[in-house]
Amino acid sequence: MRQKQDLRGMRHHLSSNWRLPLIPTKLSPPRRSQPLFSRKRLESLAPAIMKHALTLVQAPAGYGKTTLVGQWADKYRGEDKLVAWLSLSEEDNSERRFLSYLIASLSITKSNFCNESILAINSEPSSSIEVVESILLAELEASREEILLTFDDYHCITNPEIHSLMLRLIKNRPENLHIIIATRSEIPIRLSKLKLENQLLILGVSDLRMDFSELEIFLNEVVELDLPKNVARLLYEVSEGWVAGVQMAALSPRLRKEPKQFLNEFASGSKDLKNYLHEVLVELLPSDCEEALVRCSILERFNVSLCQVVGGVSDGNAFLEKLSRLNLFIFSLDDNNEWFRLHRLFSDFLRERLGQLGKKEVLALHRLACNWFVAHELWSEAVSHALAIGNSDLAKTFIERCASEMLEKSRTATLVNWGKQIPEHELSKNIDIRLAIVRAQMLMMELPPIHGLLHELESDLQKSDDVDLMERREDLQKQIQTTSSLLALLEDRLEDARRSAEPLMEAPSELNRFEYEVVFNVLGYIYLHQMRFDEIVEVQRQAARLTNKLHFGEGYRKSFEGLAWFWRGRLDRAEALLGESLAISEKIAGRRSMASVTAIASLAELCYERNKIEEAEELLASAMTGSLDACLLITAQTIYSLLARISKLRGEKAESWILLDKLEKVAMKRGWVRLEGHCYAERIQSDIWEGDGISATRELGRFEQYLETVNPDVIAKELLHDDWLISKARIELLNQPSKGFIKELHERITVLDRQGALYRSAKFRMLAALGEWKIGQTKAAKKSLIPALALGQAQGMFRTFADELQGGQCLLKNIASSLDAHEMRLMPYIEGLVNNMEPVPKLLGNFEKDLESDSLPSDISDLELLSASEVTEREREILELIGDGLFNKEVANLLGISEGTVKWHLKNLYSKLGVSSRTQALKRAHSLKLIN
């Protein structure tokens, strides 16, 4: 009723005071029954609007511009501010009509506002535009209120005189006037001065596209659709966060019935999407631009030259500038604006229209593209177009040139797919491509068929009478040998890998770049497990001499060198190298690559050791977004073991055991004997933390039976023996350890110390010291433990002591009371360990004492509800973002606050919710319905 009265009043005002007929509905935001959904990330920018003269919201159709600026307007309309709105259309390109609507939008914000301007614009004879403009600016400046003036659909304005009028309005604006312009295309108004004055706020596609958390909120709250996370992720990837695309997909019944098939066919199969794209994009395009875009849709990316060659335009620069101005779903791929791509859905939509050109024309376009990419030696893109025209001979030639690059960049699936498109009888004749595809399958951990494929390659190479192959036979045999060594490493046959790789190191300069990088990394990984640390450093030096630019192998090498320093007890140096490894691997192959996940896992282990549990969890969550089906044994072991231990520390016993079960399944699937044995060791430690000595003893028996049934190679056997020795020591310490067994621990300490593996040695020292203390040899216990304490103090170690010395506080206090003068520097460190080593599950704070359940109580108390009601909107935002696995730093960047502020908010949240971790906070928040 109130809205109808307002509308009647507006119509009366407009009909009684204006010469031109004005449409009232253009002066208010489009009416909705309710907002589609709340995008807090964008709504929170509302205060920034009132700090800038101009806010420019610029994006293609369907990104929610009108909805967003309408929500901003609604927010300020309820405050002591004047909020004016003007929806523009093509009919508003008359300067006088535009100014009339502008004045009308302002005049209805309060009684008797802009009366002088109304008289001026409606006077007879007509006042000049400049006079009316001056009167309006004077009235705006005379107003005491803050004024928010919104122009929606400004892309409809093409009259240069109106652009000039807007420039004068912005330039001569009073301080209380704040303007919002929402547009699909660039506005031809010079804004550089506003930028310099920090008076311009710009929101583009990257700001307006949905992030994954917003997509999940939309699915859950608006359309009430509970999609599996992997399907929601696929929807996000297909739509690229385009709001309209997400909405159309989510409202389709097929998304519920056959989600993956529907999303794969979405761009070509959805009538709603086709009609929308045709209406808001294609119909607005000049015919020559439309045809050029359809022709360019065969390209994954394009530049000025390709637009001319494939698109058929005479001036590629002008064409791209026009597309950028119109904001037609075109995105720049680099800082120099040299390469561009189309939105995936728009590209698929255009490709469907390729059929209108005819098959011959489409093949001709692929030939043009193929020739262009060949001329510019961009071989991977040339392959796709060669396959499109059915020229497998050309495709094979190009694959040979780019196979190594594809492997380096972790584009293994693409390489395997290319192989499937080449006729088998042709592929069988090309040993180079077959070898590249075998390597790709191997890096995707499709290991079982690899042995047979390598054997076929060797046999075919020996039998071949091809002159070229005969000349290259020795080189190809080395490549097969390199591949065999990598296969042995991935299968954890480390001794076989060593015997295969070391001979190749005798003349690394005779290998091509990819081969020697593989050899260096295979040996680096093996030497790490053999504790041959100095040789790892030497391998790194040799590789550095041969490599003069950044290469995929450097990421792995720095990871293995970083782990070597970790095991040597130099955690500071390890952290630096692992950080470098992650940066290199992300740059070359992406965050989800095997190399990146390897570095992330080791960094998480380092954080865990230093008791930075939150940071460790952040890293582990990041690692879990990659494919753990395709990672090294050491990576899988680190990730799952750390997650299990942290779950145990949180009091989540069931979750801890589930994680160890998952790790065991990975080990059995891969045939990783060593990893399967490690699972026994982790379970034994878990049982001992629980105080369940009987279960731990039984598990040790099963471990020993397992060892009798397996036959690992010599390197894996020694590492398995370490796991068994540690597990045996833990069981012995439940009772009265024998002197003979303590002697065995010291023998292992001696070997590790000689190898320089001081971090690994420290764990054995703790177990030996506990044993000696238990049998009354306190001096021997002190002698065993002091070197470990000195290392721990120097490197900030905590968890190794806390995990192994549970119940050993008396030992530490005894040692502290007997420190010599030169040992007194250890006193603060020992006191810190004693004070912070509490019985499980109180290692990290006050947790639930019932370790049989990892769930929170189902009954929420009134006190808890009261505390939850005090959770602020900002804290809710942070909860939702950490629930999506974002790091503190990423949350900070997204919300425009510091990382320290995020941590401060989390600390307050933990206090209000009565928890001590992210996991517990998210569970509590969910049970209290604070978040989804």
Side-chain angles (χ1 to χ4, degrees):
M1 180 67 74
R2 172 80 178 274
Q3 287 179 332
K4 290 181 179 179
Q5 289 174 346
D6 289 345
L7 189 58
R8 282 198 294 268
M10 188 190 301
R11 284 174 176 160
H12 175 73
H13 169 74
L14 296 179
S15 62
S16 60
N17 295 315
W18 300 84
R19 290 169 56 191
L20 289 173
L22 301 181
I23 303 171
T25 53
K26 290 170 65 71
L27 305 182
S28 59
R31 293 169 58 188
R32 295 183 184 275
S33 58
Q34 60 180 28
L36 284 176
F37 71 110
S38 176
R39 301 180 70 185
K40 296 176 183 176
R41 174 175 59 87
L42 296 176
E43 290 173 29
S44 65
L45 293 173
I49 296 167
M50 308 306 287
K51 297 177 183 177
H52 293 82
L54 174 63
T55 299
L56 182 61
V57 184
Q58 181 176 298
Y63 274 94
K65 300 182 296 297
T66 299
T67 300
L68 174 63
V69 297
Q71 288 171 329
W72 286 341
D74 288 342
K75 170 181 170 57
Y76 285 117
R77 190 171 283 111
E79 300 179 11
D80 293 332
K81 295 177 176 63
L82 304 184
V83 179
W85 180 281
L86 176 54
S87 295
L88 296 164
S89 61
E90 286 78 4
E91 291 78 16
D92 300 324
N93 272 291
S94 155
E95 193 176 11
R96 185 166 294 276
R97 179 183 176 89
F98 178 90
L99 190 54
S100 294
Y101 268 116
L102 170 55
I103 294 169
S105 69
L106 289 162
S107 70
I108 63 173
T109 59
K110 72 172 182 176
S111 299
N112 300 318
F113 189 40
C114 296
N115 282 348
E116 295 297 322
S117 301
I118 294 171
L119 291 173
I121 196 70
N122 290 291
S123 65
E124 290 188 24
S126 299
S127 302
S128 69
I129 294 295
E130 289 74 15
V131 169
V132 177
E133 185 183 328
S134 299
I135 293 170
L136 175 62
L137 286 169
E139 287 191 287
L140 293 176
E141 189 167 13
S143 173
R144 296 180 179 180
E145 298 95 340
E146 293 283 316
I147 303 170
L148 182 64
L149 174 59
T150 299
F151 296 91
D152 192 27
D153 289 337
Y154 190 84
H155 54 272
C156 296
I157 301 301
T158 56
N159 185 344
E161 292 179 345
I162 296 179
H163 297 318
S164 298
L165 186 156
M166 285 292 291
L167 179 60
R168 294 193 299 272
L169 177 63
I170 293 168
K171 182 179 177 181
N172 300 315
R173 72 197 182 279
E175 288 186 3
N176 62 330
L177 177 63
H178 309 278
I179 300 170
I180 300 175
I181 297 178
T183 175
R184 293 180 187 174
S185 57
E186 290 183 9
I187 60 173
I189 300 175
R190 294 189 301 274
L191 303 173
S192 54
K193 188 176 179 183
L194 280 183
K195 282 185 180 179
L196 291 174
E197 295 172 348
N198 197 27
Q199 284 295 309
L200 177 63
L201 177 64
I202 301 178
L203 274 69
V205 171
S206 59
D207 304 296
L208 295 174
R209 63 161 55 105
M210 280 187 184
D211 61 30
F212 185 64
S213 64
E214 289 171 335
L215 181 140
E216 286 191 303
I217 292 170
F218 174 76
L219 292 176
N220 293 328
E221 294 185 0
V222 180
V223 295
E224 297 181 352
L225 181 59
D226 186 17
L227 287 180
K229 198 139 190 150
N230 62 327
V231 176
R233 179 66 66 179
L234 179 59
L235 172 56
Y236 182 69
E237 290 173 358
V238 167
S239 66
E240 297 187 37
W242 180 40
V243 178
V246 171
Q247 290 170 353
M248 279 184 272
L251 295 173
S252 170
R254 280 191 66 201
L255 185 62
R256 293 162 171 80
K257 295 176 182 177
E258 42 187 8
K260 290 187 178 179
Q261 183 179 348
F262 168 72
L263 290 173
N264 288 329
E265 300 171 356
F266 181 44
S268 58
S270 170
K271 290 183 179 179
D272 289 338
L273 179 64
K274 289 179 188 177
N275 292 337
Y276 185 87
L277 290 173
H278 191 272
E279 179 183 336
V280 303
L281 295 179
V282 178
E283 285 186 354
L284 302 178
L285 279 172
S287 58
D288 58 334
C289 281
E290 179 187 348
E291 184 177 345
L293 273 173
V294 170
R295 291 163 65 93
C296 286
S297 69
I298 68 165
L299 305 166
E300 292 295 329
R301 59 174 184 154
F302 48 86
N303 59 12
V304 169
S305 178
L306 276 167
C307 287
Q308 294 172 176
V309 172
V310 178
V313 300
S314 57
D315 187 340
N317 269 315
F319 175 68
L320 286 174
E321 286 174 9
K322 188 171 189 176
L323 292 182
S324 296
R325 282 198 308 274
L326 292 173
N327 227 340
L328 290 176
F329 285 78
I330 180 174
F331 306 127
S332 175
L333 294 174
D334 55 76
D335 294 335
N336 297 322
N337 289 328
E338 293 181 4
W339 286 96
F340 298 84
R341 71 170 179 87
L342 295 170
H343 188 287
R344 177 175 169 178
L345 291 177
F346 188 41
S347 180
D348 289 348
F349 167 77
L350 291 171
R351 281 176 189 159
E352 193 174 293
R353 299 165 70 89
L354 278 169
Q356 299 173 9
L357 301 179
K359 187 175 181 181
K360 288 185 178 180
E361 175 70 11
V362 174
L363 289 174
L365 293 176
H366 281 293
R367 286 192 188 95
L368 289 171
C370 183
N371 293 336
W372 191 94
F373 285 116
V374 169
H376 292 80
E377 298 185 354
L378 296 169
W379 305 113
S380 63
E381 283 152 304
V383 172
S384 299
H385 296 288
L387 289 170
I389 61 178
N391 195 329
S392 55
D393 286 334
L394 268 182
K396 287 185 292 184
T397 302
F398 303 153
I399 292 172
E400 288 177 9
R401 292 175 177 265
C402 69
S404 294
E405 180 188 1
M406 298 293 284
L407 292 169
E408 292 168 16
K409 293 183 176 179
S410 290
R411 296 185 63 188
T412 50
T414 300
L415 195 50
V416 171
N417 186 50
W418 286 345
K420 292 176 180 177
Q421 295 181 62
I422 297 174
E424 192 172 343
H425 70 277
E426 293 184 27
L427 188 62
S428 63
K429 300 173 185 177
N430 194 307
I431 286 182
D432 292 280
I433 295 178
R434 285 167 60 194
L435 181 58
I437 292 171
V438 165
R439 287 174 165 175
Q441 289 175 295
M442 195 165 63
L443 292 172
M444 293 166 69
M445 297 303 285
E446 297 175 1
L447 302 182
I450 302 298
H451 291 278
L453 293 171
L454 285 176
H455 180 75
E456 288 176 13
L457 280 169
E458 287 183 282
S459 176
D460 291 350
L461 182 60
Q462 293 299 327
K463 291 186 291 186
S464 176
D465 56 3
D466 182 276
V467 175
D468 176 60
L469 283 180
M470 291 174 69
E471 290 178 355
R472 297 171 51 233
R473 182 172 289 162
E474 186 177 349
D475 178 53
L476 285 168
Q477 284 174 332
K478 286 182 179 179
Q479 291 184 36
I480 292 172
Q481 186 178 348
T482 302
T483 307
S484 296
S485 70
L486 180 56
L487 175 60
L489 180 147
L490 294 174
E491 293 181 329
D492 205 43
R493 296 181 289 108
L494 299 185
E495 181 59 23
D496 290 346
R498 184 192 65 79
R499 284 199 298 263
S500 182
E502 279 188 338
L504 296 168
M505 272 287 288
E506 294 173 5
S509 58
E510 296 178 7
L511 303 173
N512 65 40
R513 187 182 70 172
F514 185 86
E515 307 307 320
Y516 70 64
E517 286 286 359
V518 171
V519 170
F520 285 143
N521 284 314
V522 166
L523 290 176
Y525 185 82
I526 294 165
Y527 293 161
L528 171 69
H529 288 80
Q530 290 183 305
M531 278 41 119
R532 294 163 64 178
F533 301 129
D534 291 337
E535 288 168 85
I536 295 176
V537 175
E538 181 55 35
V539 164
Q540 178 79 340
R541 286 174 182 162
Q542 274 192 268
R545 285 196 293 269
L546 289 169
T547 306
N548 55 13
K549 65 178 183 177
L550 194 64
H551 192 262
F552 86 101
E554 190 170 350
Y556 284 107
R557 286 200 309 276
K558 286 189 179 291
S559 264
F560 301 152
E561 188 181 2
L563 268 174
W565 284 108
F566 195 162
W567 292 5
R568 292 172 93 163
R570 287 289 305 276
L571 277 63
D572 48 354
R573 189 159 185 180
E575 184 175 21
L577 284 163
L578 291 168
E580 289 177 27
S581 168
L582 180 56
I584 292 167
S585 301
E586 280 189 320
K587 182 176 182 179
I588 293 174
R591 194 176 189 89
R592 297 185 180 187
S593 64
M594 183 187 289
S596 295
V597 173
T598 300
I600 289 170
S602 300
L603 284 166
E605 186 174 20
L606 195 148
C607 288
Y608 176 83
E609 176 56 58
R610 288 176 167 165
N611 209 32
K612 297 177 179 179
I613 305 299
E614 288 282 331
E615 292 180 32
E617 285 184 299
E618 281 191 66
L619 287 163
L620 292 169
S622 173
M624 294 294 280
T625 63
S627 175
L628 295 186
D629 286 332
C631 67
L632 298 170
L633 181 153
I634 194 171
T635 308
Q637 176 176 308
T638 301
I639 290 171
Y640 280 109
S641 297
L642 286 177
L643 285 170
R645 290 176 199 170
I646 291 171
S647 293
K648 179 65 70 175
L649 295 176
R650 301 299 190 200
E652 300 165 356
K653 180 182 178 182
E655 179 66 17
S656 177
W657 281 86
I658 288 169
L659 287 162
L660 291 178
D661 284 344
K662 286 182 179 179
L663 181 59
E664 188 173 47
K665 286 177 183 176
V666 170
M668 295 172 72
K669 179 181 178 181
R670 300 281 176 227
W672 286 338
V673 172
R674 175 162 61 95
L675 184 57
E676 202 171 339
H678 180 76
C679 292
Y680 285 104
E682 288 289 334
R683 286 198 185 95
I684 289 166
Q685 184 180 45
S686 181
D687 282 334
I688 289 172
W689 281 9
E690 290 293 309
D692 191 347
I694 295 174
S695 181
T697 302
R698 287 173 181 165
E699 193 71 13
L700 178 64
R702 287 190 284 269
F703 189 7
E704 291 173 339
Q705 288 175 356
Y706 172 76
L707 293 175
E708 291 174 4
T709 63
V710 296
N711 185 30
D713 74 10
V714 62
I715 300 174
K717 188 173 184 178
E718 186 168 326
L719 294 165
L720 261 176
H721 182 265
D722 273 0
D723 272 337
W724 170 82
L725 191 58
I726 289 169
S727 299
K728 177 71 172 174
R730 289 166 177 161
I731 299 298
E732 288 273 326
L733 290 170
L734 295 176
N735 302 298
Q736 193 80 354
S738 67
K739 290 182 179 179
F741 185 75
I742 292 173
K743 182 181 178 183
E744 190 175 351
L745 289 175
H746 275 291
E747 287 170 356
R748 185 58 183 150
I749 290 167
T750 301
V751 172
L752 290 169
D753 284 350
R754 186 171 63 247
Q755 293 173 323
L758 300 183
Y759 179 76
R760 294 175 69 86
S761 169
K763 186 182 290 288
F764 284 94
R765 285 185 173 279
M766 292 174 212
L767 294 168
L770 273 174
E772 287 159 340
W773 179 67
K774 273 208 160 191
I775 62 175
Q777 296 181 351
T778 53
K779 288 184 179 179
K782 177 185 174 184
K783 183 179 179 182
S784 296
L785 198 54
I786 285 292
L789 290 168
L791 177 68
Q793 183 181 48
Q795 297 299 321
M797 292 165 55
F798 177 80
R799 285 257 57 92
T800 297
F801 290 96
D803 294 352
E804 294 299 341
L805 293 180
Q806 281 305 305
Q809 288 96 329
C810 292
L811 166 62
L812 288 172
K813 290 176 182 177
N814 182 278
I815 289 174
S817 66
S818 61
L819 292 174
D820 298 333
H822 69 280
E823 297 169 340
M824 287 302 294
R825 67 184 186 281
L826 296 174
M827 180 64 78
Y829 179 65
I830 295 173
E831 288 178 346
L833 289 175
V834 170
N835 293 334
N836 288 284
M837 283 168 51
E838 297 180 28
V840 175
K842 292 186 178 179
L843 291 169
L844 299 174
N846 297 316
F847 301 99
E848 304 298 330
K849 293 186 178 181
D850 179 12
L851 300 186
E852 294 302 319
S853 171
D854 62 355
S855 62
L856 290 160
S858 58
D859 296 325
I860 307 298
S861 69
D862 292 341
L863 183 59
E864 287 171 325
L865 288 170
L866 181 61
S867 296
S869 68
E870 297 173 357
V871 173
T872 66
E873 282 301 310
R874 175 65 84 188
E875 289 166 349
R876 287 174 192 253
E877 282 183 288
I878 291 172
L879 272 172
E880 289 167 354
L881 293 172
I882 67 172
D884 290 327
L886 271 66
F887 294 174
N888 287 346
K889 189 173 184 180
E890 292 171 322
V891 173
N893 290 339
L894 195 59
L895 298 180
I897 57 180
S898 71
E899 189 175 357
T901 303
V902 173
K903 291 179 179 178
W904 179 78
H905 280 303
L906 286 174
K907 184 179 178 182
N908 287 341
L909 266 170
Y910 295 168
S911 175
K912 291 176 182 179
L913 299 177
V915 298
S916 304
S917 75
R918 288 178 174 231
T919 305
Q920 290 277 357
L922 290 169
K923 286 183 178 180
R924 179 77 70 183
H926 179 69
S927 66
L928 293 169
K929 302 189 183 306
L930 294 175
I931 61 171
N932 287 304

